Amino acid sequence: MASGQCPASNGLGLHASHNLTSVSNNLITLARKLRVVDYFTLGWGTMVGVGWLVVMWDWLLRGGVLGGVLGFAIGGALLLPIGYVYGRLVMAMPDAAGEVAYTAKVFPPVISFATGWMMVLAYFIVCPWEAVAVGKIAGYIFPALDSIELYRIGGQPVYLPRVIIGLGLTGLLTLLNYRGIRLSATFQNWTAFGTLALFVVFVACGVSKGSPRNFPPLFTHGAFVSILLVMQIVPYYMTGFESVAKAAEECSPQFRARGFSKAILMSIIVGILFYTIVIAAVGYVAPWRELTNEKFMTAVVFERAMGSRWIVSVILAAALLSLLKVFNGNFIASSRLLFAMGRRGLLDRRVAEIHPRNQTPAVAVVCIGLATAVCMFLGDAILVPISEVGSVASAAGWMAACAAYFRMRPAPRERMVAAVGVTVGLLMILMKVVPGIPGHFSGYEWLALGVWSALGLGLGWRQRMVRAAVIAK
């Protein structure tokens, strides 16, 4: 393999835990078929979902138009140092374990496990979110689907037709990821670039009918509080750029390692532009304050501006493609991380099994699919709380990765960047967990985080007991 190709020399004296440059004929490995464009669509596609359609009302009520734009712009820009660190780390250690591998080099195993478990939450938690959201979108297009109420959670009804649609999509993506990474990557590319194309169409058409008079109020609270409330959810909606690391073992033999950094940084930049433009566009095209009670506020705002239903169809098509790509991207990332944790003995080793023909982490894929199917029965009530918990989980993983890079003692300039990343991650966590700060965790978020942490403690303890029993023999 030529110098500079995947996997690359890292300059830090570090090496991946699994030798990817030479493969025994008897060893089944993950298929190596991904290119730079695949990593970009994985990173950006995993990041941008349908929050801009489903919960735009929440973003604008948090900060107003300018507060929303500045919140995502500042919050996203603060992720650039973290993205830089991830680019360096994945070049040094192209391991599907990602943060688990990085922290394992310099911290005790308990830190490595806790970091991995939080990042599994950050990725996995998006999957039932999207499974629920697809039913919500379908119900908006076909109102007859909002029937046959099964039960209510948090005052929100759970409808049988929506559940069936969500389960069907979950099954489809589980099969897609079970069959092969090239199939998943092709699906990701088409849905990602399709979303961007439709986004340009509906924004350009809608803005031509808007007016600056629709912007006020620029902030829904004071300027600082408005921006802060939006920045608190940025980690959740910007999570995804680091998913590139989880597929690092699947790069094609011709892939040049610097492509990892390019894909990560471009994912962040395009993500910032997407979110800030769509928030500004919604505020520009119609008097948004009057429409925050609408089910799909973004679509209603553009329909009001254009006076036509066709633009709603374009927006919903873009949302559907976006939903598919973010669901698929998070499915890839969470299944690879689960697989890698099993391979390292942090979880049951059976989740590390690789399909002999498809070369996919088949058991991990099935586990994520089944868990998604179970969690989606919580219905619409999970949408906003999931955003909150996912933000903290992502920030914890970012902070740990940057702290690990800092401990690896890179060049002084890069060490300073890592220190900035640690600070940003810590501040993002504190914004959500410290009482008294506007927008801090409610009881539901603490409950969700507590349940996940307890599950991790239980699984970790069980695995330690298994290892101890093996050693005792």
Side-chain angles (χ1 to χ4, degrees):
M1 181 174 294
S3 175
Q5 292 183 333
C6 175
S9 173
N10 53 64
L12 295 174
L14 301 175
H15 301 281
S17 299
H18 299 271
N19 187 355
L20 307 178
T21 59
S22 60
V23 180
S24 166
N25 291 332
N26 297 321
L27 180 65
I28 301 172
T29 62
L30 297 174
R32 298 186 58 192
K33 298 183 178 181
L34 299 184
R35 305 157 300 176
V36 173
V37 67
D38 301 320
Y39 283 112
F40 166 73
T41 59
L42 174 61
W44 180 78
T46 303
M47 180 188 303
V48 178
V50 293
W52 55 272
L53 175 69
V54 178
V55 290
M56 177 62 74
W57 59 271
D58 179 61
W59 298 357
L60 289 174
L61 289 179
R62 282 173 179 267
V65 176
L66 188 55
V69 169
L70 291 177
F72 270 97
I74 296 171
L78 289 174
L79 299 182
L80 289 171
I82 298 175
Y84 175 82
V85 169
Y86 268 94
R88 298 294 296 170
L89 284 170
V90 72
M91 287 173 63
M93 304 172 66
D95 191 316
E99 296 83 0
V100 179
Y102 312 149
T103 52
K105 286 289 182 182
V106 293
F107 293 123
V110 65
I111 300 297
S112 180
F113 175 81
T115 301
W117 190 242
M118 290 302 287
M119 289 308 292
V120 170
L121 173 63
Y123 296 122
F124 163 69
I125 208 168
V126 179
C127 295
W129 200 104
E130 303 302 336
V132 169
V134 71
K136 193 176 180 72
I137 294 173
Y140 181 76
I141 301 172
F142 305 106
L145 295 176
D146 290 344
S147 60
I148 315 179
E149 182 178 326
L150 300 176
Y151 47 84
R152 287 177 174 258
I153 294 181
Q156 298 289 333
V158 176
Y159 297 111
L160 178 60
R162 285 198 196 180
V163 169
I164 293 173
I165 291 172
L167 290 175
L169 178 58
T170 301
L172 174 64
L173 291 184
T174 301
L175 179 62
L176 190 72
N177 282 277
Y178 187 88
R179 293 294 301 275
I181 188 60
R182 185 66 257 163
L183 191 61
S184 300
T186 300
F187 178 84
Q188 191 76 0
N189 292 344
W190 279 100
T191 51
F193 287 115
T195 300
L196 284 172
L198 293 175
F199 169 74
V200 170
V201 170
F202 79 74
V203 167
C205 292
V207 167
S208 66
K209 302 292 185 179
S211 168
R213 293 193 302 271
N214 295 322
F215 277 140
L218 297 179
F219 300 101
T220 50
H221 306 82
F224 176 77
V225 172
S226 296
I227 295 171
L228 177 66
L229 289 173
V230 175
M231 285 180 63
Q232 287 175 337
I233 60 172
V234 167
Y236 175 75
Y237 291 104
M238 295 288 286
T239 295
F241 63 88
E242 74 292 334
S243 64
V244 167
K246 313 309 178 294
E249 294 182 27
E250 296 165 271
C251 62
S252 70
Q254 293 76 35
F255 184 87
R256 301 192 67 83
R258 290 190 180 276
F260 289 130
S261 289
K262 293 178 182 178
I264 289 172
L265 293 176
M266 282 303 299
S267 296
I268 296 174
I269 292 169
V270 176
I272 293 171
L273 290 174
F274 184 96
Y275 283 126
T276 53
I277 289 172
V278 76
I279 292 171
V282 168
Y284 184 79
V285 300
W288 63 270
R289 189 72 192 218
E290 302 171 7
L291 302 171
T292 53
N293 290 325
E294 296 290 341
K295 183 181 294 186
F296 287 112
M297 179 186 173
T298 302
V300 173
V301 163
F302 277 86
E303 182 180 18
R304 174 79 65 90
M306 296 295 294
S308 175
R309 183 74 180 179
W310 70 266
I311 198 166
V312 174
S313 300
V314 174
I315 291 171
L316 292 177
L320 180 59
L321 289 177
S322 191
L323 182 151
L324 293 173
K325 70 175 178 52
V326 79
F327 195 166
N328 184 59
N330 279 282
F331 203 113
I332 293 171
S334 56
S335 60
R336 268 56 178 181
L337 188 51
L338 196 67
F339 151 80
M341 291 182 72
R343 185 175 60 185
R344 286 173 169 265
L346 298 175
L347 295 174
D348 192 314
R349 289 189 180 275
R350 285 175 291 185
V351 300
E353 293 181 10
I354 299 177
H355 194 284
R357 184 177 67 255
N358 299 335
Q359 291 183 273
T360 56
V363 175
V365 165
V366 172
C367 286
I368 294 298
L370 291 175
T372 298
V374 171
C375 290
M376 68 161 292
F377 280 91
L378 295 173
D380 292 0
I382 69 173
L383 295 182
V384 173
I386 276 181
S387 305
E388 307 285 0
V389 177
S391 290
V392 169
S394 302
W398 299 338
M399 182 180 70
C402 290
Y405 191 59
F406 184 87
R407 289 284 300 274
M408 292 173 191
R409 299 187 178 279
R413 182 179 66 86
E414 295 185 2
R415 207 173 190 212
M416 184 177 298
V417 173
V420 171
V422 171
T423 303
V424 171
L426 179 60
L427 290 175
M428 287 181 169
I429 294 172
L430 293 177
M431 282 193 303
K432 296 306 300 179
V433 302
V434 175
I437 296 180
H440 66 83
F441 267 11
S442 69
Y444 287 112
E445 282 89 33
W446 280 117
L447 176 63
L449 188 60
V451 169
W452 185 258
S453 299
L455 180 60
L457 286 172
L459 291 174
W461 177 83
R462 177 183 179 278
Q463 197 58 26
R464 284 195 297 272
M465 293 300 99
V466 170
R467 287 200 299 268
V470 171
I471 293 173
K473 290 181 179 180

